[in-house]
Amino acid sequence: MSSNEDLALPKALIVDDDYVMRMLEQETLAQFGFEVVEAADGEQALALLDEAPPDLVLLDVEMPGIDGFQVCRRLRQVWDMTRVPVIMVTGMDDLASINQAYESGANDFVAKPINWPILGHRARYVWRSAQAARQLSELKEKQAAMMRAIPDMIFVMDWQGNYLDYKEGFATSAFVAASEFLGKNMSVILPPDVASTIQQSIDLALSRGDLQSVVYKLPMPDGVHHYEARIAPNGVDKVVIVVRDITVQKLNEDRIRRLAYFDTLTGMPNRQSFLERLDHELLRARRGNRQVALLFLDLDGFKRINDTLGHSVGDYLLQAVADRMKEKLRASDFVARPALDESGLHFARLGGDEFTVVLPDVDDTQTVCMVATRLQALLTRPFVIGAQEIAVTSSIGIAIFPADGEDASMLLKHADTAMYHAKDQGRNNWQLYDQSLTTRTSARLALESDIRKGLERGEFHLIYQPQVNALDGTIVGVEALIRWQHPEHGMISPAQFIPVAEESGLIVPMGEWVLRRACEQVGEWQRNGVSIARVAVNVSARQLRATNFLDGVAAIIAATGIAADQLELELTESILMDPEARQVQGLYRLRQLGVHFSIDDFGTGYSSLSYIKRFPIGMLKIDQSFVRGLPHGVNDAGITTAVIAMAHSMELDVIAEGVETREQLEFLQKAKCPKIQGYLFSRPLPPNAIEDLLRAGKISLPPPPIDK
Ligand code: C2E
Ligand code: CA
Ligand code: CA
């Protein structure tokens, strides 16, 4: 087959005992392009054949010793007719020896007397056809080997889908045994949908004359198998179909898909698949002029559960929530409308404790709200986790396409905003997105960046409100209160910016600035010759959670040189509820330095006595909301009296805040409240005004009005 072999002259072996015959034969074959070797008898011929096989043998039948028939038979034991073709030279019309020649394995014969030119042509012809036959059989062998190596099944079909031929593949087995389908039409063998898809591709392959491919699946005894069929036209009315079993590949793809598209914890679709699904639904909705609702659900207080019960309980709860959603949302009775049955609702877990539900084809908002209500009801049934029952509530935000957003990211953003609104409304409720929420959000963002700039530009300052002895007005301390002189909006109340600072985390640098500024102020007053017993600084929960807060306090005390017991930190009740013990340790360390702690707005939270005892608290501040109702409000009076009595019994100091009237003062004096803070004595004042008051040492009330 290689070109070298083609270029070399074919080698012919002439075997004849007659010298003249050999001469003539040699001459003739040489003329016809053979390289000739001669043998004078059978023995010599066999010896030469053993050395190397020639490409043609011209063999005389009648020879002394081993005759031509024997030589041929022996030769055939080693070489077949395609490798070493043999032409026998027989006597004229000797039919018996012609027969014998064929029987002993000759390819052809020539009869004596020899027609020399014809001998040359015949020799070349026999040689060529043997060569062609050899190449053909080699090709067949190669093809067979290749076929064996192909894992695929190969079918030959006519244009109507009748099975004509079949080769099995080592890795793919046919739907039914070949004997059952050969000669039949695939429509009676394969499931109708598969048969018709294949038939369509056959039509296409034949009409276009190109390769088609189809993927389909079939139920096999060991489960569903996936196949890929490539259909190639074979002539004008037949096709060759190569079928490969792609089940394993398909399973791998599915697994990869699952990993990429499903949340591993809950098995729910993840954010990625949610977004694709939503995109898809929006596309449909746009075409069909329909609405799509997006519900954004967030569990209430999930962080608390995680922190107090541990992450494994948290994970378990998320799984349970997901399972319940899947199970119940699937049930078609969940929503009494056929359009919203199991195929209609798509849920996903976006991450953390955030879940989404997409409702395609929404006609009215009422249905959406009903789904939200049911969803919430579904989750309030307690979850049993180990020995405990956990009840969770959730907040849901709803955004509806197209009114609330044109694309997936806008809808998601707005559903999220609505969800936050639901949280603000006290949790465990749902809220529809409303344009004003976004306005509020962006106003909030603007405020946040203004605060950041304000901190950099020094737009904040502190004012101080005196705290006095309830009996004689002696100043016992001041509370530092932050003020913001905004360059455009003027004075902004802390009630407005403190919540934003807390949410954004800006309260951390802001609080640190307040603390430093207040301590510096104490130093300045001291240098001006007035000393202050105590400056109270407000600390929000978020600040305390910052890891280096407590070290920061100690550092500021050291840097400003004030005595640690001149500083009081006002904590909120929520700090007491925070389970992280680390803070308690740190608070005790600061207490040992001398720093005081008080609980601000006492009575508004739910802290119990046992909580307070765990912390180094020295004073309770009775919230102004109770003081406001004094002396006539029965509840307020009762609570105020009880708090003061309780504080005394626990040896805690007490201060009443927001005291504005003499009646309030008198009530508090009678109830033995030792300290007072409020407009009655003084509004919060700038440092120099405080300095004057401190010099006086006490604040005297004007004499009470005479006629009353
Ligand atoms: P708060 O800690 O309860 O502070 C007392 C608030 O009551 C102050 O309001 C004060 O001006 C006001 N007040 C005092 N006496 C009276 C009175 O007789 N009648 C009435 N109606 N109000 C009185 P302000 O300064 O507007 O502060 C509001 C809140 O902002 C503070 O409440 C506190 O929670 C927060 N805040 C202020 N400064 C800071 C700060 O530096 N850091 C932190 N984290 N929060 C601060
Ligand atoms: Ca305060
Ligand atoms: Ca307060």
Side-chain angles (χ1 to χ4, degrees):
M1 210 178 294
S2 83
S3 46
N4 274 346
E5 237 172 86
D6 287 344
L7 286 178
L9 292 180
K11 205 167 85 182
L13 170 65
I14 296 172
V15 189
D16 205 311
D17 56 326
D18 183 332
Y19 172 72
V20 179
M21 280 300 278
R22 282 208 311 272
M23 282 277 294
L24 292 170
E25 286 170 354
Q26 191 269 337
E27 198 93 320
T28 309
L29 293 190
Q31 265 177 27
F32 278 82
F34 288 92
E35 183 194 322
V36 179
V37 187
E38 294 173 30
D41 55 30
E43 228 149 301
Q44 215 179 338
L46 288 173
L48 279 170
L49 278 165
D50 272 351
E51 268 169 38
D55 299 301
L56 180 75
V57 180
L58 192 60
L59 184 59
D60 189 22
V61 169
E62 282 167 41
M63 287 185 296
I66 305 170
D67 68 9
F69 301 123
Q70 280 176 5
V71 171
C72 192
R73 271 195 293 273
R74 297 265 290 274
L75 182 154
R76 280 287 166 261
Q77 284 165 8
V78 186
W79 310 106
D80 71 7
M81 291 169 71
T82 66
R83 178 61 191 89
V84 182
V86 174
I87 301 174
M88 288 275 203
V89 182
T90 63
M92 163 134 127
D93 298 335
D94 181 358
L95 207 61
S97 54
I98 290 169
N99 278 335
Q100 213 181 339
Y102 281 126
E103 273 159 25
S104 56
N107 294 52
D108 203 354
F109 73 95
V110 287
K112 289 178 185 165
I114 289 171
N115 178 332
W116 295 106
I118 283 181
L119 172 69
H121 284 296
R122 182 158 298 182
R124 274 206 82 84
Y125 171 79
V126 168
W127 168 66
R128 275 228 192 87
S129 63
Q131 205 180 27
R134 191 167 76 237
Q135 277 166 3
L136 195 67
S137 82
E138 275 171 8
L139 201 66
K140 270 191 183 152
E141 260 169 43
K142 203 168 85 179
Q143 243 168 12
M146 270 162 60
M147 288 299 233
R148 279 193 299 276
I150 290 175
D152 310 346
M153 298 184 283
I154 300 172
F155 296 90
V156 180
M157 261 185 207
D158 68 12
W159 61 281
Q160 289 171 309
N162 293 311
Y163 293 97
L164 303 179
D165 197 3
Y166 166 70
K167 176 208 88 77
E168 65 183 348
F170 70 79
T172 305
S173 40
F175 190 47
V176 292
S179 55
E180 282 181 50
F181 64 76
L182 279 177
K184 298 214 177 97
N185 191 278
M186 67 174 166
S187 63
V188 300
I189 302 294
L190 299 176
D193 54 325
V194 176
S196 84
T197 348
I198 296 178
Q199 186 61 56
Q200 277 167 23
S201 298
I202 291 177
D203 296 346
L204 272 180
L206 287 174
S207 64
R208 295 191 184 159
D210 63 8
L211 194 69
Q212 297 293 318
S213 100
V214 219
V215 173
Y216 57 91
K217 54 187 177 193
L218 290 173
M220 297 298 279
D222 61 341
V224 171
H225 277 231
H226 296 263
Y227 299 92
E228 182 189 39
R230 270 158 298 147
I231 302 171
N234 179 13
V236 290
D237 58 356
K238 278 185 290 197
V239 287
V240 171
I241 305 185
V242 179
V243 178
R244 176 169 299 189
D245 190 325
I246 54 166
T247 309
V248 174
Q249 186 187 330
K250 194 87 185 166
L251 289 179
N252 281 337
E253 275 170 16
D254 283 354
R255 214 168 61 88
I256 290 164
R257 218 186 115 80
R258 248 200 312 284
L259 285 178
Y261 282 87
F262 289 85
D263 165 44
T264 42
L265 179 68
T266 61
M268 265 192 173
N270 62 11
R271 173 182 286 266
Q272 181 59 31
S273 63
F274 156 74
L275 288 174
E276 286 180 19
R277 184 87 229 184
L278 184 56
D279 271 342
H280 173 81
E281 290 301 344
L282 293 184
L283 202 71
R284 274 193 38 200
R286 240 171 251 133
R287 284 201 206 111
N289 239 340
R290 317 280 326 227
Q291 302 190 93
V292 176
L294 169 59
L295 274 63
F296 191 110
L297 180 147
D298 188 286
L299 301 181
D300 296 329
F302 179 72
K303 193 186 170 306
R304 266 275 286 284
I305 293 172
N306 240 349
D307 287 348
T308 50
L309 302 176
H311 285 268
S312 55
V313 173
D315 282 358
Y316 200 90
L317 179 65
L318 289 175
Q319 282 168 350
V321 165
D323 285 348
R324 198 177 283 179
M325 279 172 73
K326 278 190 277 191
E327 170 196 326
K328 295 294 172 185
L329 288 178
R330 280 231 173 91
S332 44
D333 66 350
F334 186 75
V335 178
R337 266 187 41 205
L340 289 180
D341 65 7
E342 58 186 83
S343 60
L345 289 168
H346 310 298
F347 41 82
R349 176 177 173 231
L350 290 201
D353 57 339
E354 295 173 349
F355 295 87
T356 51
V357 184
V358 175
L359 282 79
D361 296 341
V362 168
D363 307 317
D364 58 316
T365 317
Q366 217 178 322
T367 314
V368 184
C369 299
M370 186 182 70
V371 171
T373 307
R374 291 202 185 173
L375 193 53
Q376 271 169 336
L378 194 73
L379 298 183
T380 35
R381 208 160 26 88
F383 292 93
V384 181
I385 294 174
Q388 39 199 334
E389 284 199 349
I390 300 179
V392 288
T393 59
S394 57
S395 301
I396 297 178
I398 303 168
I400 297 175
F401 169 89
D404 298 336
E406 285 286 323
D407 57 36
S409 72
M410 203 38 104
L411 278 177
L412 188 60
K413 199 175 136 204
H414 287 167
D416 186 51
T417 306
M419 188 277 290
Y420 271 104
H421 185 50
K423 295 260 183 205
D424 280 349
Q425 296 300 303
R427 305 172 160 196
N428 196 20
N429 71 103
W430 49 259
Q431 295 290 330
L432 288 162
Y433 174 73
D434 167 357
Q435 183 57 44
S436 64
L437 292 178
T438 298
T439 322
R440 214 178 304 167
T441 312
S442 55
R444 197 166 249 225
L445 285 176
L447 187 55
E448 193 183 309
S449 94
D450 274 12
I451 294 174
R452 191 170 281 123
K453 281 186 219 142
L455 279 173
E456 285 164 11
R457 297 178 188 163
E459 290 167 9
F460 293 89
H461 64 273
L462 296 183
I463 58 174
Y464 300 85
Q465 187 175 33
Q467 302 175 324
V468 301
N469 182 307
L471 297 174
D472 60 12
T474 315
I475 299 173
V476 293
V478 290
E479 177 180 1
L481 294 160
I482 192 168
R483 290 293 176 268
W484 184 11
Q485 185 65 44
H486 190 282
E488 289 153 42
H489 308 309
M491 194 66 85
I492 299 180
S493 156
Q496 258 181 289
F497 65 82
I498 292 286
V500 177
E502 282 179 336
E503 199 163 290
S504 61
L506 285 168
I507 193 70
V508 175
M510 179 186 283
E512 190 183 324
W513 176 83
V514 170
L515 191 67
R516 182 180 299 277
R517 188 69 210 105
C519 292
E520 282 169 357
Q521 187 61 59
V522 171
E524 278 166 39
W525 282 324
Q526 221 134 11
R527 280 192 291 282
N528 293 348
V530 292
S531 74
I532 179 132
R534 215 178 272 183
V535 65
V537 172
N538 292 286
V539 174
S540 67
R542 177 84 185 247
Q543 269 175 280
L544 252 192
R545 250 182 272 133
T547 41
N548 51 4
F549 172 74
L550 296 163
D551 293 336
V553 174
I556 286 171
I557 292 171
T560 54
I562 69 161
D565 75 346
Q566 283 180 294
L567 179 63
E568 175 171 297
L569 300 181
E570 294 194 2
L571 311 179
T572 60
E573 281 180 81
S574 64
I575 290 170
L576 305 184
M577 314 289 279
D578 205 310
E580 285 185 53
R582 169 169 58 85
Q583 295 170 356
V584 186
Q585 301 296 325
L587 294 181
Y588 273 102
R589 267 202 351 258
L590 285 182
R591 180 70 200 101
Q592 267 158 13
L593 282 181
V595 177
H596 299 278
F597 294 97
S598 60
I599 297 295
D600 205 355
D601 307 336
F602 188 77
T604 53
Y606 301 97
S607 50
S608 69
L609 290 178
S610 60
Y611 273 128
I612 293 176
K613 275 192 272 177
R614 274 197 241 153
F615 292 83
I617 303 297
M619 180 156 79
L620 303 182
K621 300 191 76 177
I622 300 176
D623 190 59
Q624 25 180 304
S625 61
F626 301 113
V627 175
R628 202 173 299 134
L630 299 179
H632 308 295
V634 184
N635 258 342
D636 293 338
I639 290 171
T640 306
T641 318
V643 169
I644 295 167
M646 184 193 89
H648 287 320
S649 76
M650 288 176 71
E651 296 179 333
L652 291 172
D653 206 352
V654 196
I655 187 166
E657 272 192 289
V659 178
E660 293 181 351
T661 68
R662 279 177 187 273
E663 287 81 14
Q664 289 167 347
L665 175 64
E666 278 157 22
F667 180 95
L668 290 161
Q669 283 168 337
K670 273 191 207 127
K672 301 220 160 24
C673 179
K675 291 176 179 171
I676 302 291
Q677 179 180 345
Y679 293 173
L680 180 65
F681 286 93
S682 172
R683 290 189 172 253
L685 298 171
N688 54 346
I690 292 291
E691 199 177 307
D692 293 343
L693 285 179
L694 286 175
R695 250 181 257 284
K698 63 182 275 184
I699 301 172
S700 313
L701 296 180
I706 303 157
D707 50 348
K708 194 204 157 191

